[in-house]
Amino acid sequence: MSTRYEFRVLGPLEVLRDGRPVRIDAAKVRLLLAVLLADANQVVTVETLVTRLWGEEPPGRARNTLQNYVLRLRRALGCPAGGAPVRTRPHGYLIETEPGALDLHRFTALVRQGRTALEEGAAARAAPLLREALSLWRGDPLSDLPTHLLQGVVAALNERRLDALESRIDADLALGRAADVLPELRGLIEEYPLREHFWAQRMLALFRCGRQGEALESYREVTALLADELGVPPGAGLRQIHHRLLASAPVLDDVRDVGATPPQRDGDLPVEMTTFVGRGPQLAEVRRLLGEARLVTLTGVGGVGKTRLALRVAAEAAPSFADGVRLADLAPLSDADLLDRAVSEALGLRDQSARPVADAIVSHLRDRRLLLVLDNCEHVVEHVAALVLRLARAAPGLRVLATSRQRLGTPGEHVLTVPSLTLPTAHGHRDRTAAADDPLLHSEAVRLLLDRAAGSAPAFRLTARNREAVAQLCLRLDGIPLAIELAAVRLRAMTAEQIVERLDDRFRLLSMPQPRTSARYHHTLRGVVDWSYDLCTEGERRLWNRLSVFSGGFDLEAAEAVCAGEGVAREDVLDLLAGLVDKSIVTVNSSGDRARYGLLETIRQYGQQRLREEAGTARLRVRHSEFYRLTAVRAGQTWCGPREVDWLIRLRTELPNLRTALDHCASRDDLAVAGVEIAVNLARTRCWFFSSTLGEGRHWLERLLATEPGVRDAPAGAASGTPALIAGALAMKAWIALCQGDNPAAGTFLAECRAVARELPDGPSAASVTYIEGAHAMLVRGDPASSSLLAEARERFRASGQAGDAHMATMLWAMAEAFFGTRTSASAARDVYAAEAEASGAEWARTWAQWCTGLVELRHGEAGRALAPLRQALARQQAIGDRWGPVWGLETLAWAVAATGDCTRAAWLLGAAHRMRQDTGVALIGLRPFHEAHLTAERRVRSSLDAAQYTAAWSRGAAAEDALRQAHQERTSRGEPTRTRTGGSPTPTA
């Protein structure tokens, strides 16, 4: 008979073995069990366990000690042979729990069922489910364990309880129990005064009890509270209920339906640029499926409208997901190994660590209720299936809506094949009327044709004479939206009758397909695109084929450089491109300072096939790679200058093309050196830092440097293949590892760099080698000698005309002086750095100069005078979209605030900074001077606050969604605390 374990974390930690309590006395062993249960059935890495058990200052042999604790836990649980339920895995450990064996899992399942019932209008079914879920709570979660080591876990659990409580009260209100919930709401508002949903529920309950005056007074009270504490007005939900109260509306919608709109974040859905036509049954069916299934995949032929349908469903479903909707367009993805990173970027993650990206995604999604749209999965279907399965198992609140030409094949997947638009009936188009109730207009395909023609051919009208031709055109195009939209463009120059006449002669694949062909839609779509191709001029066709080498869009400069030649004059590219835009082959986005063009994926794939047929792919791929090599080199040569931010934004926009170029270079020995040059210059410009993709920068450097013989054995005459480039690449690789806090890898890369440097004329004293030696000495060893090494690297870079690299060396030199130097030397270095940054006109450099000014003032002057430059640096970095600088700005601001004696505010900042490091994956313990400064600040704060005060303030900071805004804005002249919207407790403003 197998042993059954039960675990309880929704209160003090409890364990039952075959129904009997299991006693675990050792505090660290109990803590280990709690950490494993928080991620039950998932591998928890050794690094995570070490951090949870000992914080950011573990003992010297932490890994060995951890192994000992695992053995003690197994003994305490009485684990049978094999270690179950505590399993050892290659990178960590996991604890296996059976269905229903962990109270957290039962709670999550019950809440999910209750909310689904509530959304379906079944409040009578929802209320007992939610009550049963809340009854599982026995007190504060894991209350018998050290809270400072479980802050993020405990805060997330408490938030889930409050969300469930809100849903249960919603159900009670829907059941007419307004009088019953009023006393409870009064107590909840006293405990969580800034949680707007409780106020909204109280207002609704008062109204339904006939106490409209008190309901209106509640609104005035919460309005004043929000203004005093946060300086913000009430959210949309409260305002809407207030308006209805003023109108004495007899029926008020459910409170949750008028709640605040999900926050706008990077990666939200694109705005529709054209009318959405038809699809009523499909919209309803996909919404229904999303309510029942964790994964819904829309399949069908390319051009049938899978993406458009998915985006419309997602937009309509967004209010049902507390954490919003995210879109990941996988069409530009050329390397399946980067799938995880593409999804990570769509989620807005800033993980810079050496851990697998999928681990970061799982951690981010685990406690969120979110809809993830994965578009164009067919070329990476196996990888998508594996990732979706892992995410679905780890994140119960996640729903995935995928589009693909083939199903993913994941357990639990619900597939909906997207049909063509509805077609005219057999007799409807013969009705000679053209009135609004015309039977012909019942056809979605006809309505789409007329809608698109109104934009591209304004003179076109549906008449009694052309109605049959319009119906035939839609029938013979099989109602495929892409084909119909292309036809609408041609109506500018032809009549519907003429188009129909030409179909028989020139576009036989567009005729009605025979049922015997199993590839019906593929052939039909090929016919549609062939037809579009025939409508183009010879020059437009050539350009279309060549534009297919781009990924994720392109600008005019790129199109001219890559596509001109062999029958396409450079000066003609603009007119040809405009012709393709007119024919809806190329899309254009003019919202930025330069127009950006793109191809629909189906159109792009068609162009690629045509390009292969004319044996032009290899030639165009080389041109494409060369253009983006030159782009990266130009950025590397001018990055520390007035256009620095413009270059960083441009490189971020061009990342899909840069990835394609890197992938192509890595696949050919003769282009490997060019690939290294691209990767080095992207690292030199700090593109990977600015875009929060450090791990990807390291990926490309490692992949390209491993290429043989293209890189290591490049001919001596190739300037790009000199040992200097290789040494620079190794130095950049080591620099990225250093910034990730991955000291073992950084040490290995540094040793490789030294070995290659022996082949250089300057030997080990080459500028790039000296620079990385100095950075390693400062960040890993905390060695004051790093200052002289960095100063030497600065001079060598300046002597060779490498202004950007010299600037980075100057910055690190000033930083080293701030940490290890005297007031005189630190101030002198700061002044030099600030002057150079100002003279360069580079905005990113200026923000770091401000940060350095604050650091020097903090360590060698007055802490109070450090606050202003640190806040200004944060504000400016946020303004330019920097995702790296604020990680360090927030941490340093916490040190400064602690030094001023405002310890509650400092604890809040330490919590906020900790969360940012978690988001970016930075290991502070691997960056010695920063880690030591952090510990000093933490000790100062802890000595001033008792444990409960520190934990409360730290937790509020770690839970703050807008920490950066609060950090660089002083809300009150006295520095009084403000409050968060979600937690309801005082939150000090930095």
Side-chain angles (χ1 to χ4, degrees):
M1 182 175 179
S2 62
T3 303
R4 175 172 174 78
Y5 293 94
E6 297 177 59
F7 304 97
R8 299 170 183 168
V9 297
L10 304 181
L13 180 64
E14 291 184 1
V15 183
L16 299 178
R17 184 174 186 268
D18 292 332
R20 296 181 179 180
V22 175
R23 181 171 177 175
I24 304 176
D25 293 323
K28 287 292 187 185
V29 177
R30 292 173 63 79
L31 181 59
L32 170 63
L33 176 59
V35 174
L36 292 172
L37 289 172
D39 293 307
N41 299 318
Q42 297 291 321
V43 175
V44 182
T45 64
V46 170
E47 292 75 12
T48 299
L49 290 170
V50 168
T51 300
R52 289 293 189 196
L53 290 177
W54 290 285
E56 295 189 350
E57 195 172 8
R61 297 176 60 83
R63 289 174 177 263
N64 292 339
T65 307
L66 173 62
Q67 291 176 350
N68 179 264
Y69 286 152
V70 171
L71 292 174
R72 292 171 64 182
L73 174 59
R74 286 172 173 158
R75 284 198 297 268
L77 294 176
C79 295
V86 181
R87 299 287 193 183
T88 301
R89 292 293 182 262
H91 302 293
Y93 301 90
L94 67 79
I95 188 165
E96 297 173 337
T97 60
E98 298 176 3
L102 177 61
D103 57 356
L104 174 59
H105 288 175
R106 296 200 303 277
F107 169 78
T108 301
L110 288 166
V111 170
R112 184 165 60 249
Q113 295 170 27
R115 284 178 175 159
T116 299
L118 196 57
E119 291 167 1
E120 294 172 350
R125 180 159 49 92
L129 288 168
L130 293 165
R131 278 192 169 81
E132 182 181 354
L134 290 164
S135 70
L136 296 172
W137 287 75
R138 298 169 289 109
D140 291 333
L142 302 171
S143 55
D144 56 335
L145 294 171
T147 55
H148 70 282
L149 294 173
L150 291 170
Q151 287 158 339
V153 173
V154 171
L157 291 174
N158 280 324
E159 183 63 24
R160 292 170 70 172
R161 182 182 67 84
L162 290 174
D163 286 343
L165 188 57
E166 288 177 347
S167 297
R168 197 227 75 213
I169 295 173
D170 284 340
D172 285 342
L173 287 171
L175 293 171
R177 299 170 182 165
D180 296 336
V181 300
L182 272 175
E184 181 181 13
L185 284 168
R186 186 180 303 112
L188 289 170
I189 286 174
E190 289 177 358
E191 188 174 0
Y192 306 103
L194 293 176
R195 201 170 182 95
E196 291 190 36
H197 197 66
F198 286 149
W199 283 96
Q201 290 173 322
R202 184 168 187 258
M203 291 164 61
L204 182 58
L206 287 168
F207 175 84
R208 289 181 175 171
C209 289
R211 297 157 66 179
Q212 184 176 0
E214 292 180 62
L216 292 171
E217 179 58 32
S218 290
Y219 181 76
R220 286 190 287 271
E221 186 179 350
V222 69
T223 299
L225 181 64
L226 291 171
D228 291 343
E229 299 293 350
L230 295 178
V232 298
L238 280 172
R239 292 198 305 272
Q240 188 171 348
I241 287 182
H242 179 237
H243 292 157
R244 296 187 181 188
L245 290 174
L246 291 173
S248 298
V251 178
L252 289 175
D253 290 342
D254 180 81
V255 181
R256 192 167 292 279
D257 289 342
V258 295
T261 303
Q264 294 296 312
R265 301 177 181 175
D266 292 342
D268 280 353
L269 302 176
V271 176
E272 292 182 341
M273 300 300 291
T274 55
T275 308
F276 188 93
V277 176
R279 299 296 196 193
Q282 290 79 41
L283 286 169
E285 178 64 7
V286 179
R287 285 196 298 265
R288 184 189 69 79
L289 289 174
L290 280 176
E292 299 177 357
R294 304 286 305 286
L295 166 63
V296 177
T297 303
L298 305 183
T299 63
V301 64
V304 80
K306 301 183 293 295
T307 296
R308 190 69 188 271
L309 177 61
L311 293 178
R312 171 53 72 101
V313 170
E316 293 180 352
S320 301
F321 293 88
D323 294 296
V325 179
R326 292 292 190 165
L327 168 65
D329 183 7
L330 306 182
L333 198 64
S334 60
D335 184 352
D337 291 337
L338 294 176
L339 168 67
D340 296 349
R341 196 163 298 282
V343 175
S344 172
E345 290 178 5
L347 292 169
L349 300 189
R350 302 179 297 277
D351 191 90
Q352 313 283 356
S353 68
R355 66 174 171 169
V357 178
D359 289 354
I361 298 174
V362 167
S363 298
H364 177 76
L365 293 176
R366 180 169 286 115
D367 298 313
R368 282 175 164 78
R369 180 170 172 77
L370 180 141
L371 174 62
L372 175 61
V373 181
L374 299 176
D375 194 24
N376 294 300
C377 301
E378 51 272 356
H379 59 305
V380 286
V381 64
E382 294 180 1
H383 294 77
V384 172
L387 177 62
V388 168
L389 180 59
R390 180 177 179 187
L391 297 181
R393 286 174 171 171
L398 175 68
R399 293 290 188 275
V400 176
L401 179 59
T403 72
S404 176
R405 296 189 189 184
Q406 67 180 99
R407 62 182 300 161
L408 303 186
T410 301
E413 178 186 30
H414 281 56
V415 178
L416 176 69
T417 300
V418 180
S420 298
L421 298 174
T422 59
L423 298 169
T425 61
H427 302 288
H429 63 275
R430 293 176 185 156
D431 186 338
R432 308 304 291 181
T433 68
D437 60 351
D438 186 346
L440 187 59
L441 298 181
H442 297 170
S443 162
E444 294 172 342
V446 171
R447 296 206 308 273
L448 179 66
L449 179 70
L450 298 180
D451 180 88
R452 299 301 187 259
S456 61
F460 177 81
R461 296 288 186 277
L462 179 65
T463 66
R465 188 183 67 183
N466 68 14
R467 56 184 293 104
E468 186 165 351
V470 167
Q472 283 295 322
L473 180 59
C474 292
L475 283 165
R476 295 179 68 181
L477 294 180
D478 283 331
I480 294 178
L482 174 61
I484 291 169
E485 290 183 336
L486 292 169
V489 173
R490 200 57 182 163
L491 285 170
R492 179 185 302 173
M494 300 174 66
T495 65
E497 293 90 335
Q498 287 176 308
I499 296 175
V500 172
E501 290 171 0
R502 292 170 66 86
L503 286 177
D504 286 336
D505 294 335
R506 298 189 58 184
F507 312 115
R508 284 174 293 179
L509 288 177
L510 289 175
S511 62
M512 293 297 289
Q514 298 298 317
R516 65 176 179 269
T517 172
S518 62
R520 169 188 176 187
Y521 287 107
H522 174 75
H523 290 158
T524 301
L525 179 63
R526 172 62 193 244
V528 171
V529 185
D530 276 339
W531 171 55
S532 175
Y533 195 76
D534 282 346
L535 289 176
C536 296
T537 67
E538 186 65 27
E540 287 172 343
R541 293 175 196 163
R542 287 198 181 104
L543 184 60
W544 177 352
N545 299 347
R546 297 174 189 184
L547 291 176
S548 69
V549 300
F550 290 103
S551 299
F554 54 91
D555 58 20
L556 179 59
E557 178 189 359
E560 290 174 333
V562 175
C563 300
E566 292 91 30
V568 176
R570 188 183 185 95
E571 59 270 21
D572 291 339
V573 170
L574 175 58
D575 290 338
L576 295 173
L577 192 57
L580 292 174
V581 170
D582 287 343
K583 293 180 175 66
S584 297
I585 305 303
V586 173
T587 61
V588 59
N589 182 349
S590 302
S591 60
D593 59 352
R594 59 172 65 195
R596 189 154 184 87
Y597 305 91
L599 297 174
L600 295 174
E601 183 59 19
T602 299
I603 299 295
R604 177 173 174 263
Q605 290 181 4
Y606 181 91
Q608 288 176 331
Q609 184 172 345
R610 288 285 190 169
L611 191 63
R612 286 194 296 270
E613 290 171 358
E614 64 182 43
T617 301
R619 182 180 72 255
L620 266 294
R621 285 287 177 206
V622 171
R623 284 190 196 169
H624 178 274
S625 299
E626 176 62 12
F627 175 79
Y628 286 101
R629 183 192 70 81
L630 292 173
T631 299
V633 169
R634 285 168 56 200
Q637 291 171 342
T638 62
W639 73 273
C640 188
R643 296 190 61 230
E644 176 183 60
V645 174
D646 293 339
W647 269 112
L648 287 168
I649 293 173
R650 180 177 177 182
L651 292 175
R652 179 190 288 174
T653 302
E654 293 289 6
L655 275 179
N657 280 307
L658 289 163
R659 288 168 180 146
T660 297
L662 286 163
D663 184 65
H664 184 62
C665 291
S667 67
R668 289 181 50 168
D669 288 346
D670 59 328
L671 295 178
V673 170
V676 172
E677 199 167 3
I678 296 174
V680 167
N681 279 287
L682 291 179
R684 173 176 287 124
T685 60
R686 301 317 184 247
C687 169
W688 305 118
F689 293 82
F690 189 76
S691 302
S692 191
T693 51
L694 268 189
E696 183 179 354
R698 180 169 162 181
H699 161 83
W700 288 117
L701 286 166
E702 290 180 346
R703 181 178 171 186
L704 287 157
L705 287 171
T707 303
E708 296 287 354
V711 174
R712 304 284 184 168
D713 300 332
S720 298
T722 62
L725 175 66
I726 308 306
L730 291 167
M732 288 298 180
K733 189 168 64 164
W735 169 240
I736 290 175
L738 280 175
C739 292
Q740 290 178 314
D742 189 358
N743 291 347
T748 300
F749 300 155
L750 178 56
E752 294 177 2
C753 187
R754 290 173 181 144
V756 172
R758 296 190 186 101
E759 304 175 31
L760 301 177
D762 294 335
S765 62
S768 60
V769 183
T770 306
Y771 170 77
I772 205 63
E773 292 276 14
H776 189 270
M778 179 180 74
L779 297 175
V780 177
R781 303 198 305 272
D783 187 351
S786 60
S787 178
S788 60
L789 286 170
L790 291 165
E792 180 184 346
R794 171 178 180 266
E795 293 305 321
R796 288 181 175 274
F797 280 133
R798 286 164 63 88
S800 60
Q802 296 171 263
D805 295 328
H807 168 77
M808 285 304 301
T810 304
M811 183 181 78
L812 261 66
W813 167 59
M815 193 185 303
E817 287 291 349
F819 280 119
F820 310 126
T822 64
R823 177 177 177 82
T824 300
S825 65
S827 298
R830 173 204 60 199
D831 292 343
V832 170
Y833 176 45
E836 289 186 4
E838 187 63 31
S840 72
E843 179 61 14
W844 199 30
R846 288 168 171 170
T847 69
W848 279 98
Q850 282 187 305
W851 175 85
C852 192
T853 298
L855 179 66
V856 171
E857 193 62 44
L858 169 62
R859 297 187 66 86
H860 300 284
E862 298 179 19
R865 295 177 60 182
L867 299 178
L870 290 174
R871 287 199 188 99
Q872 290 166 8
L874 272 176
R876 293 172 73 170
Q877 287 168 343
Q878 191 175 22
I880 64 176
D882 181 11
R883 301 171 185 173
W884 175 255
V887 177
W888 308 106
L890 204 60
E891 173 70 23
T892 314
L893 185 60
W895 308 343
V897 171
T900 65
D902 193 349
C903 291
T904 301
R905 198 148 54 106
W908 184 90
L909 283 165
L910 287 171
H914 175 81
R915 174 173 175 168
M916 286 201 74
R917 290 197 303 277
Q918 283 191 318
D919 288 345
T920 55
V922 172
L924 188 61
I925 195 172
L927 305 168
R928 185 165 177 177
F930 287 88
H931 187 230
E932 290 176 350
H934 170 86
L935 294 178
T936 299
E938 184 181 19
R939 283 192 292 267
R940 178 180 284 127
V941 173
R942 286 184 179 276
S943 67
S944 178
L945 305 176
D946 62 35
Q949 290 173 325
Y950 177 84
T951 299
W954 191 100
S955 298
R956 289 191 297 271
E961 293 290 343
D962 59 349
L964 283 180
R965 180 187 62 80
Q966 294 191 47
H968 67 68
Q969 292 179 355
E970 188 68 49
R971 279 289 180 192
T972 65
S973 59
R974 295 174 297 171
E976 294 176 349
T978 61
R979 298 175 183 259
T980 57
R981 293 172 67 93
T982 56
S985 300
T987 301
T989 301

